[in-house]
Amino acid sequence: MHVVHSMGAGGMENGVVNVIRELHGNGFTFGVACLTVAGPFRDRLPGDVPVVELHKQGGLSPRLVQRLARSFVDFRPHVVHTHNWAPLIYGVFARGLADRIRILHGEHAQLSPAELLPRRLWSRRLLYRLVERIHTVSQAQRQELISLGFAGSKIEAVVNGVDVQRFAPALDPVAVRSSLGLPGDALVIGMVGRFGPFKRHKDLIQAFEAIADRNPKARLLLVGGSGSLEQEVIQRVAASPCKDRIKLTGFMADPLSAYQAMDLLVVPSLNEGLSNAALEAMAARVPVLAHDACGNAELIGGSNAGWVRSLQSPEQLAEALNFCLGSSLKLTENAKCARERASQCFSMQSMTEGYRSLYTKVVQGDN
């Protein structure tokens, strides 16, 4: 049973959907417990996967612990797979009210500054002792946790994978762009993700405004919905002098056409595990410009699939964008390398087998 905050549109949730779709019915049966509500990614799950909504409000709720424990008793899982901080807390507490529960905990992003405070590290260290195993979604993220004093023997990396058949390149990019309301000859810079503070949509908009005059064919495509800053980003776009060159798609249940329209995907996030959006873009033959946050160097590696740069400020973002857009030939060459790297190094099969192995280890009590 997966325990998540919700099944809203996001990279972690996308990973949960992929694991369930690949393994459900192949020796495994899954359920999902959402601390809040299910969200749109519920519709991507197989129809016979039960989803429990616990409707969490603010603050720590003992009643919610009891309800989650009841879902454990009803579903009788061999493994409870918690994802990120709040599900870890509730999963550990609820396990105390249910018998014979083993917990695998997943960390899907680099720890934020707030999570690096001594008190939060102490709390995480205590909770980690109460679960059987921990996994990360990149090797770099695993090394970061070890460097912070967490036991490496308990932490395993299962690197994210992508369905390269689903995220295929466009046969006619001009037609795809036109279907999204973009000029057929546009140079499309894209970003995919919910509107959260660590994603840095407003910094990217500022950087785009700085390069717009130098790149008259450039367009900015922002794909996604929800998140605490959604309305702020929408208002920022409306106030931009380049608003006619910025496209907000809202949430897309299938973002394939958005990737197929892009010439470059930007991942300016301050903390990442290993970006699913970047993998999907690479599979669709789109090179990636990424901030040098945890996991991104591992994603690009020493290949020509994209660029990893320090993108701490809008000025650095603008400089990097100008560099990437400076050569159409280089973009084309890197696009080919991006798909090759996604296919060869980040297969869905490799990720699926990693989780199959982890679940087996947790059930058998292997350390």
mmCIF file of all heavy atoms in Angstrom, residues 235-280:
data_model
loop_
_atom_site.group_PDB
_atom_site.id
_atom_site.type_symbol
_atom_site.label_atom_id
_atom_site.label_comp_id
_atom_site.label_asym_id
_atom_site.label_seq_id
_atom_site.Cartn_x
_atom_site.Cartn_y
_atom_site.Cartn_z
ATOM 1 N N GLN A 235 -0.792 35.666 -12.551
ATOM 2 C CA GLN A 235 -0.785 37.133 -12.516
ATOM 3 C C GLN A 235 0.520 37.698 -13.043
ATOM 4 O O GLN A 235 0.541 38.731 -13.716
ATOM 5 C CB GLN A 235 -1.042 37.605 -11.082
ATOM 6 C CG GLN A 235 -2.438 37.315 -10.584
ATOM 7 C CD GLN A 235 -2.602 37.520 -9.084
ATOM 8 O OE1 GLN A 235 -1.677 38.006 -8.406
ATOM 9 N NE2 GLN A 235 -3.742 37.142 -8.544
ATOM 10 N N ARG A 236 1.625 37.010 -12.756
ATOM 11 C CA ARG A 236 2.926 37.472 -13.249
ATOM 12 C C ARG A 236 2.971 37.414 -14.766
ATOM 13 O O ARG A 236 3.516 38.322 -15.424
ATOM 14 C CB ARG A 236 4.034 36.608 -12.643
ATOM 15 C CG ARG A 236 5.446 36.931 -13.105
ATOM 16 C CD ARG A 236 5.901 38.307 -12.618
ATOM 17 N NE ARG A 236 7.260 38.602 -13.038
ATOM 18 C CZ ARG A 236 7.614 39.052 -14.241
ATOM 19 N NH1 ARG A 236 6.670 39.287 -15.154
ATOM 20 N NH2 ARG A 236 8.883 39.290 -14.527
ATOM 21 N N VAL A 237 2.422 36.372 -15.348
ATOM 22 C CA VAL A 237 2.369 36.262 -16.806
ATOM 23 C C VAL A 237 1.510 37.373 -17.384
ATOM 24 O O VAL A 237 1.871 38.024 -18.375
ATOM 25 C CB VAL A 237 1.836 34.883 -17.232
ATOM 26 C CG1 VAL A 237 1.562 34.855 -18.737
ATOM 27 C CG2 VAL A 237 2.822 33.786 -16.852
ATOM 28 N N ALA A 238 0.363 37.617 -16.762
ATOM 29 C CA ALA A 238 -0.554 38.650 -17.266
ATOM 30 C C ALA A 238 0.078 40.032 -17.247
ATOM 31 O O ALA A 238 -0.236 40.889 -18.084
ATOM 32 C CB ALA A 238 -1.839 38.651 -16.435
ATOM 33 N N ALA A 239 1.002 40.269 -16.297
ATOM 34 C CA ALA A 239 1.653 41.579 -16.178
ATOM 35 C C ALA A 239 2.932 41.678 -16.990
ATOM 36 O O ALA A 239 3.557 42.746 -17.042
ATOM 37 C CB ALA A 239 1.966 41.857 -14.702
ATOM 38 N N SER A 240 3.342 40.596 -17.631
ATOM 39 C CA SER A 240 4.622 40.584 -18.341
ATOM 40 C C SER A 240 4.543 41.357 -19.654
ATOM 41 O O SER A 240 3.554 41.259 -20.388
ATOM 42 C CB SER A 240 5.034 39.141 -18.646
ATOM 43 O OG SER A 240 6.168 39.104 -19.479
ATOM 44 N N PRO A 241 5.591 42.118 -19.993
ATOM 45 C CA PRO A 241 5.639 42.759 -21.316
ATOM 46 C C PRO A 241 5.712 41.735 -22.452
ATOM 47 O O PRO A 241 5.481 42.081 -23.610
ATOM 48 C CB PRO A 241 6.906 43.612 -21.253
ATOM 49 C CG PRO A 241 7.747 42.991 -20.190
ATOM 50 C CD PRO A 241 6.774 42.442 -19.180
ATOM 51 N N CYS A 242 6.008 40.480 -22.103
ATOM 52 C CA CYS A 242 6.092 39.403 -23.101
ATOM 53 C C CYS A 242 4.907 38.439 -22.997
ATOM 54 O O CYS A 242 4.999 37.285 -23.438
ATOM 55 C CB CYS A 242 7.393 38.621 -22.920
ATOM 56 S SG CYS A 242 8.896 39.574 -23.119
ATOM 57 N N LYS A 243 3.809 38.893 -22.421
ATOM 58 C CA LYS A 243 2.696 37.986 -22.156
ATOM 59 C C LYS A 243 2.166 37.313 -23.417
ATOM 60 O O LYS A 243 1.662 36.180 -23.357
ATOM 61 C CB LYS A 243 1.566 38.724 -21.444
ATOM 62 C CG LYS A 243 0.936 39.858 -22.231
ATOM 63 C CD LYS A 243 -0.134 40.556 -21.406
ATOM 64 C CE LYS A 243 -0.750 41.732 -22.179
ATOM 65 N NZ LYS A 243 -1.761 42.449 -21.351
ATOM 66 N N ASP A 244 2.280 37.985 -24.567
ATOM 67 C CA ASP A 244 1.801 37.389 -25.816
ATOM 68 C C ASP A 244 2.708 36.269 -26.310
ATOM 69 O O ASP A 244 2.346 35.555 -27.249
ATOM 70 C CB ASP A 244 1.685 38.457 -26.904
ATOM 71 C CG ASP A 244 0.597 39.478 -26.601
ATOM 72 O OD1 ASP A 244 -0.333 39.133 -25.840
ATOM 73 O OD2 ASP A 244 0.686 40.605 -27.107
ATOM 74 N N ARG A 245 3.867 36.127 -25.666
ATOM 75 C CA ARG A 245 4.813 35.085 -26.069
ATOM 76 C C ARG A 245 4.964 34.008 -24.994
ATOM 77 O O ARG A 245 5.852 33.165 -25.062
ATOM 78 C CB ARG A 245 6.172 35.712 -26.392
ATOM 79 C CG ARG A 245 6.106 36.644 -27.604
ATOM 80 C CD ARG A 245 7.370 37.472 -27.766
ATOM 81 N NE ARG A 245 8.562 36.642 -27.944
ATOM 82 C CZ ARG A 245 9.786 37.148 -28.075
ATOM 83 N NH1 ARG A 245 9.977 38.471 -28.039
ATOM 84 N NH2 ARG A 245 10.828 36.342 -28.240
ATOM 85 N N ILE A 246 4.079 34.058 -23.990
ATOM 86 C CA ILE A 246 4.090 33.057 -22.911
ATOM 87 C C ILE A 246 2.761 32.309 -22.931
ATOM 88 O O ILE A 246 1.699 32.920 -22.890
ATOM 89 C CB ILE A 246 4.306 33.716 -21.533
ATOM 90 C CG1 ILE A 246 5.613 34.510 -21.512
ATOM 91 C CG2 ILE A 246 4.320 32.649 -20.439
ATOM 92 C CD1 ILE A 246 5.826 35.304 -20.234
ATOM 93 N N LYS A 247 2.834 30.997 -23.001
ATOM 94 C CA LYS A 247 1.650 30.153 -23.072
ATOM 95 C C LYS A 247 1.511 29.341 -21.793
ATOM 96 O O LYS A 247 2.409 28.588 -21.415
ATOM 97 C CB LYS A 247 1.754 29.206 -24.270
ATOM 98 C CG LYS A 247 0.634 28.198 -24.398
ATOM 99 C CD LYS A 247 -0.629 28.829 -24.918
ATOM 100 C CE LYS A 247 -1.690 27.763 -25.204
ATOM 101 N NZ LYS A 247 -2.926 28.354 -25.733
ATOM 102 N N LEU A 248 0.378 29.499 -21.099
ATOM 103 C CA LEU A 248 0.037 28.686 -19.941
ATOM 104 C C LEU A 248 -0.973 27.631 -20.378
ATOM 105 O O LEU A 248 -2.088 27.969 -20.797
ATOM 106 C CB LEU A 248 -0.561 29.550 -18.834
ATOM 107 C CG LEU A 248 0.385 30.468 -18.053
ATOM 108 C CD1 LEU A 248 -0.397 31.573 -17.365
ATOM 109 C CD2 LEU A 248 1.178 29.669 -17.028
ATOM 110 N N THR A 249 -0.628 26.365 -20.275
ATOM 111 C CA THR A 249 -1.547 25.318 -20.734
ATOM 112 C C THR A 249 -2.515 24.867 -19.656
ATOM 113 O O THR A 249 -3.541 24.259 -19.961
ATOM 114 C CB THR A 249 -0.773 24.080 -21.207
ATOM 115 O OG1 THR A 249 -0.173 23.434 -20.083
ATOM 116 C CG2 THR A 249 0.286 24.452 -22.238
ATOM 117 N N GLY A 250 -2.191 25.121 -18.365
ATOM 118 C CA GLY A 250 -2.916 24.468 -17.296
ATOM 119 C C GLY A 250 -2.511 23.016 -17.199
ATOM 120 O O GLY A 250 -1.581 22.545 -17.870
ATOM 121 N N PHE A 251 -3.226 22.262 -16.355
ATOM 122 C CA PHE A 251 -2.912 20.845 -16.175
ATOM 123 C C PHE A 251 -3.217 20.088 -17.461
ATOM 124 O O PHE A 251 -4.261 20.265 -18.083
ATOM 125 C CB PHE A 251 -3.742 20.259 -15.032
ATOM 126 C CG PHE A 251 -3.696 18.754 -14.970
ATOM 127 C CD1 PHE A 251 -2.534 18.102 -14.602
ATOM 128 C CD2 PHE A 251 -4.817 18.001 -15.299
ATOM 129 C CE1 PHE A 251 -2.474 16.714 -14.549
ATOM 130 C CE2 PHE A 251 -4.775 16.619 -15.247
ATOM 131 C CZ PHE A 251 -3.610 15.972 -14.863
ATOM 132 N N MET A 252 -2.285 19.224 -17.872
ATOM 133 C CA MET A 252 -2.478 18.352 -19.028
ATOM 134 C C MET A 252 -2.381 16.905 -18.571
ATOM 135 O O MET A 252 -1.338 16.476 -18.069
ATOM 136 C CB MET A 252 -1.420 18.638 -20.107
ATOM 137 C CG MET A 252 -1.482 20.036 -20.692
ATOM 138 S SD MET A 252 -0.196 20.332 -21.967
ATOM 139 C CE MET A 252 -0.831 19.301 -23.317
ATOM 140 N N ALA A 253 -3.479 16.175 -18.710
ATOM 141 C CA ALA A 253 -3.464 14.767 -18.309
ATOM 142 C C ALA A 253 -2.421 13.987 -19.102
ATOM 143 O O ALA A 253 -1.792 13.061 -18.585
ATOM 144 C CB ALA A 253 -4.851 14.164 -18.504
ATOM 145 N N ASP A 254 -2.233 14.363 -20.351
ATOM 146 C CA ASP A 254 -1.196 13.757 -21.190
ATOM 147 C C ASP A 254 -0.345 14.891 -21.766
ATOM 148 O O ASP A 254 -0.756 15.562 -22.713
ATOM 149 C CB ASP A 254 -1.819 12.948 -22.322
ATOM 150 C CG ASP A 254 -0.760 12.239 -23.174
ATOM 151 O OD1 ASP A 254 0.445 12.406 -22.886
ATOM 152 O OD2 ASP A 254 -1.145 11.522 -24.113
ATOM 153 N N PRO A 255 0.847 15.115 -21.202
ATOM 154 C CA PRO A 255 1.677 16.245 -21.641
ATOM 155 C C PRO A 255 2.543 15.959 -22.862
ATOM 156 O O PRO A 255 3.416 16.756 -23.206
ATOM 157 C CB PRO A 255 2.556 16.512 -20.417
ATOM 158 C CG PRO A 255 2.755 15.152 -19.821
ATOM 159 C CD PRO A 255 1.453 14.413 -20.051
ATOM 160 N N LEU A 256 2.315 14.833 -23.542
ATOM 161 C CA LEU A 256 3.187 14.451 -24.651
ATOM 162 C C LEU A 256 3.283 15.548 -25.704
ATOM 163 O O LEU A 256 4.381 15.884 -26.165
ATOM 164 C CB LEU A 256 2.692 13.153 -25.292
ATOM 165 C CG LEU A 256 3.455 12.694 -26.547
ATOM 166 C CD1 LEU A 256 4.933 12.495 -26.257
ATOM 167 C CD2 LEU A 256 2.827 11.429 -27.122
ATOM 168 N N SER A 257 2.153 16.118 -26.110
ATOM 169 C CA SER A 257 2.187 17.142 -27.164
ATOM 170 C C SER A 257 3.001 18.356 -26.734
ATOM 171 O O SER A 257 3.660 18.995 -27.566
ATOM 172 C CB SER A 257 0.773 17.555 -27.554
ATOM 173 O OG SER A 257 0.087 18.139 -26.460
ATOM 174 N N ALA A 258 2.976 18.674 -25.441
ATOM 175 C CA ALA A 258 3.772 19.810 -24.948
ATOM 176 C C ALA A 258 5.252 19.534 -25.117
ATOM 177 O O ALA A 258 6.018 20.389 -25.594
ATOM 178 C CB ALA A 258 3.440 20.095 -23.494
ATOM 179 N N TYR A 259 5.692 18.332 -24.739
ATOM 180 C CA TYR A 259 7.098 17.986 -24.932
ATOM 181 C C TYR A 259 7.465 18.010 -26.416
ATOM 182 O O TYR A 259 8.529 18.505 -26.801
ATOM 183 C CB TYR A 259 7.385 16.593 -24.369
ATOM 184 C CG TYR A 259 7.321 16.477 -22.866
ATOM 185 C CD1 TYR A 259 6.454 15.577 -22.253
ATOM 186 C CD2 TYR A 259 8.132 17.267 -22.047
ATOM 187 C CE1 TYR A 259 6.394 15.457 -20.871
ATOM 188 C CE2 TYR A 259 8.078 17.151 -20.666
ATOM 189 C CZ TYR A 259 7.202 16.251 -20.080
ATOM 190 O OH TYR A 259 7.157 16.137 -18.719
ATOM 191 N N GLN A 260 6.585 17.483 -27.246
ATOM 192 C CA GLN A 260 6.874 17.406 -28.681
ATOM 193 C C GLN A 260 6.983 18.791 -29.319
ATOM 194 O O GLN A 260 7.592 18.929 -30.374
ATOM 195 C CB GLN A 260 5.787 16.590 -29.381
ATOM 196 C CG GLN A 260 5.827 15.107 -29.030
ATOM 197 C CD GLN A 260 4.685 14.336 -29.672
ATOM 198 O OE1 GLN A 260 3.617 14.892 -29.931
ATOM 199 N NE2 GLN A 260 4.893 13.060 -29.916
ATOM 200 N N ALA A 261 6.386 19.793 -28.678
ATOM 201 C CA ALA A 261 6.441 21.155 -29.209
ATOM 202 C C ALA A 261 7.715 21.882 -28.807
ATOM 203 O O ALA A 261 8.036 22.936 -29.372
ATOM 204 C CB ALA A 261 5.227 21.952 -28.728
ATOM 205 N N MET A 262 8.455 21.349 -27.828
ATOM 206 C CA MET A 262 9.580 22.072 -27.244
ATOM 207 C C MET A 262 10.879 21.886 -28.024
ATOM 208 O O MET A 262 11.124 20.849 -28.624
ATOM 209 C CB MET A 262 9.816 21.603 -25.804
ATOM 210 C CG MET A 262 8.704 21.922 -24.839
ATOM 211 S SD MET A 262 9.077 21.232 -23.194
ATOM 212 C CE MET A 262 7.488 21.401 -22.382
ATOM 213 N N ASP A 263 11.707 22.915 -27.940
ATOM 214 C CA ASP A 263 13.100 22.825 -28.383
ATOM 215 C C ASP A 263 14.040 22.661 -27.201
ATOM 216 O O ASP A 263 15.166 22.186 -27.357
ATOM 217 C CB ASP A 263 13.488 24.081 -29.158
ATOM 218 C CG ASP A 263 12.718 24.201 -30.458
ATOM 219 O OD1 ASP A 263 13.058 23.499 -31.414
ATOM 220 O OD2 ASP A 263 11.759 24.995 -30.498
ATOM 221 N N LEU A 264 13.588 23.069 -26.022
ATOM 222 C CA LEU A 264 14.417 23.015 -24.815
ATOM 223 C C LEU A 264 13.504 22.949 -23.606
ATOM 224 O O LEU A 264 12.541 23.725 -23.501
ATOM 225 C CB LEU A 264 15.303 24.262 -24.719
ATOM 226 C CG LEU A 264 16.215 24.376 -23.495
ATOM 227 C CD1 LEU A 264 17.354 23.355 -23.571
ATOM 228 C CD2 LEU A 264 16.795 25.798 -23.372
ATOM 229 N N LEU A 265 13.790 22.030 -22.681
ATOM 230 C CA LEU A 265 13.103 21.986 -21.388
ATOM 231 C C LEU A 265 14.021 22.592 -20.338
ATOM 232 O O LEU A 265 15.210 22.268 -20.291
ATOM 233 C CB LEU A 265 12.752 20.564 -20.984
ATOM 234 C CG LEU A 265 12.034 20.475 -19.628
ATOM 235 C CD1 LEU A 265 10.543 20.698 -19.790
ATOM 236 C CD2 LEU A 265 12.301 19.136 -18.934
ATOM 237 N N VAL A 266 13.469 23.452 -19.477
ATOM 238 C CA VAL A 266 14.240 24.050 -18.395
ATOM 239 C C VAL A 266 13.769 23.482 -17.061
ATOM 240 O O VAL A 266 12.564 23.413 -16.792
ATOM 241 C CB VAL A 266 14.095 25.588 -18.393
ATOM 242 C CG1 VAL A 266 14.995 26.193 -17.318
ATOM 243 C CG2 VAL A 266 14.451 26.152 -19.759
ATOM 244 N N VAL A 267 14.719 23.055 -16.232
ATOM 245 C CA VAL A 267 14.437 22.550 -14.880
ATOM 246 C C VAL A 267 15.230 23.412 -13.902
ATOM 247 O O VAL A 267 16.341 23.064 -13.509
ATOM 248 C CB VAL A 267 14.824 21.063 -14.735
ATOM 249 C CG1 VAL A 267 14.433 20.552 -13.350
ATOM 250 C CG2 VAL A 267 14.164 20.222 -15.819
ATOM 251 N N PRO A 268 14.674 24.581 -13.497
ATOM 252 C CA PRO A 268 15.409 25.481 -12.610
ATOM 253 C C PRO A 268 15.202 25.199 -11.129
ATOM 254 O O PRO A 268 15.641 25.977 -10.277
ATOM 255 C CB PRO A 268 14.826 26.848 -12.980
ATOM 256 C CG PRO A 268 13.419 26.551 -13.371
ATOM 257 C CD PRO A 268 13.412 25.160 -13.962
ATOM 258 N N SER A 269 14.535 24.083 -10.791
ATOM 259 C CA SER A 269 14.178 23.773 -9.409
ATOM 260 C C SER A 269 15.390 23.799 -8.485
ATOM 261 O O SER A 269 16.478 23.358 -8.856
ATOM 262 C CB SER A 269 13.535 22.388 -9.329
ATOM 263 O OG SER A 269 12.477 22.255 -10.247
ATOM 264 N N LEU A 270 15.157 24.277 -7.269
ATOM 265 C CA LEU A 270 16.235 24.353 -6.281
ATOM 266 C C LEU A 270 16.548 22.989 -5.680
ATOM 267 O O LEU A 270 17.661 22.751 -5.235
ATOM 268 C CB LEU A 270 15.855 25.339 -5.172
ATOM 269 C CG LEU A 270 15.798 26.813 -5.576
ATOM 270 C CD1 LEU A 270 15.316 27.659 -4.413
ATOM 271 C CD2 LEU A 270 17.156 27.297 -6.052
ATOM 272 N N ASN A 271 15.550 22.114 -5.613
ATOM 273 C CA ASN A 271 15.810 20.766 -5.093
ATOM 274 C C ASN A 271 15.097 19.748 -5.964
ATOM 275 O O ASN A 271 13.921 19.886 -6.291
ATOM 276 C CB ASN A 271 15.386 20.628 -3.629
ATOM 277 C CG ASN A 271 13.892 20.829 -3.423
ATOM 278 O OD1 ASN A 271 13.244 21.566 -4.162
ATOM 279 N ND2 ASN A 271 13.343 20.181 -2.415
ATOM 280 N N GLU A 272 15.824 18.732 -6.359
ATOM 281 C CA GLU A 272 15.289 17.661 -7.197
ATOM 282 C C GLU A 272 15.807 16.322 -6.685
ATOM 283 O O GLU A 272 16.846 16.253 -6.036
ATOM 284 C CB GLU A 272 15.741 17.841 -8.656
ATOM 285 C CG GLU A 272 14.988 18.907 -9.435
ATOM 286 C CD GLU A 272 13.563 18.509 -9.778
ATOM 287 O OE1 GLU A 272 13.204 17.322 -9.634
ATOM 288 O OE2 GLU A 272 12.797 19.404 -10.182
ATOM 289 N N GLY A 273 15.061 15.275 -6.973
ATOM 290 C CA GLY A 273 15.586 13.933 -6.790
ATOM 291 C C GLY A 273 16.194 13.519 -8.118
ATOM 292 O O GLY A 273 17.399 13.532 -8.321
ATOM 293 N N LEU A 274 15.311 13.190 -9.060
ATOM 294 C CA LEU A 274 15.698 12.984 -10.454
ATOM 295 C C LEU A 274 14.438 13.299 -11.257
ATOM 296 O O LEU A 274 13.464 12.573 -11.186
ATOM 297 C CB LEU A 274 16.171 11.561 -10.719
ATOM 298 C CG LEU A 274 16.913 11.415 -12.052
ATOM 299 C CD1 LEU A 274 18.420 11.382 -11.818
ATOM 300 C CD2 LEU A 274 16.485 10.165 -12.787
ATOM 301 N N SER A 275 14.450 14.385 -11.991
ATOM 302 C CA SER A 275 13.252 14.970 -12.583
ATOM 303 C C SER A 275 12.578 14.049 -13.598
ATOM 304 O O SER A 275 13.149 13.708 -14.627
ATOM 305 C CB SER A 275 13.610 16.300 -13.264
ATOM 306 O OG SER A 275 12.523 16.780 -14.020
ATOM 307 N N ASN A 276 11.314 13.666 -13.308
ATOM 308 C CA ASN A 276 10.529 12.892 -14.266
ATOM 309 C C ASN A 276 10.216 13.707 -15.508
ATOM 310 O O ASN A 276 10.197 13.175 -16.620
ATOM 311 C CB ASN A 276 9.226 12.419 -13.615
ATOM 312 C CG ASN A 276 9.420 11.186 -12.760
ATOM 313 O OD1 ASN A 276 9.636 10.085 -13.259
ATOM 314 N ND2 ASN A 276 9.352 11.370 -11.457
ATOM 315 N N ALA A 277 9.964 15.012 -15.328
ATOM 316 C CA ALA A 277 9.691 15.868 -16.487
ATOM 317 C C ALA A 277 10.888 15.896 -17.426
ATOM 318 O O ALA A 277 10.736 15.836 -18.655
ATOM 319 C CB ALA A 277 9.340 17.280 -16.022
ATOM 320 N N ALA A 278 12.087 15.962 -16.865
ATOM 321 C CA ALA A 278 13.287 15.956 -17.699
ATOM 322 C C ALA A 278 13.424 14.644 -18.453
ATOM 323 O O ALA A 278 13.762 14.626 -19.642
ATOM 324 C CB ALA A 278 14.523 16.216 -16.849
ATOM 325 N N LEU A 279 13.155 13.527 -17.788
ATOM 326 C CA LEU A 279 13.243 12.230 -18.457
ATOM 327 C C LEU A 279 12.232 12.127 -19.594
ATOM 328 O O LEU A 279 12.544 11.616 -20.676
ATOM 329 C CB LEU A 279 13.004 11.109 -17.446
ATOM 330 C CG LEU A 279 14.151 10.785 -16.493
ATOM 331 C CD1 LEU A 279 13.732 9.687 -15.524
ATOM 332 C CD2 LEU A 279 15.391 10.350 -17.259
ATOM 333 N N GLU A 280 11.012 12.601 -19.348
ATOM 334 C CA GLU A 280 9.986 12.541 -20.386
ATOM 335 C C GLU A 280 10.362 13.418 -21.579
ATOM 336 O O GLU A 280 10.169 13.035 -22.738
ATOM 337 C CB GLU A 280 8.638 12.950 -19.790
ATOM 338 C CG GLU A 280 8.098 11.921 -18.800
ATOM 339 C CD GLU A 280 6.925 12.410 -17.982
ATOM 340 O OE1 GLU A 280 6.543 13.592 -18.113
ATOM 341 O OE2 GLU A 280 6.381 11.611 -17.192
#
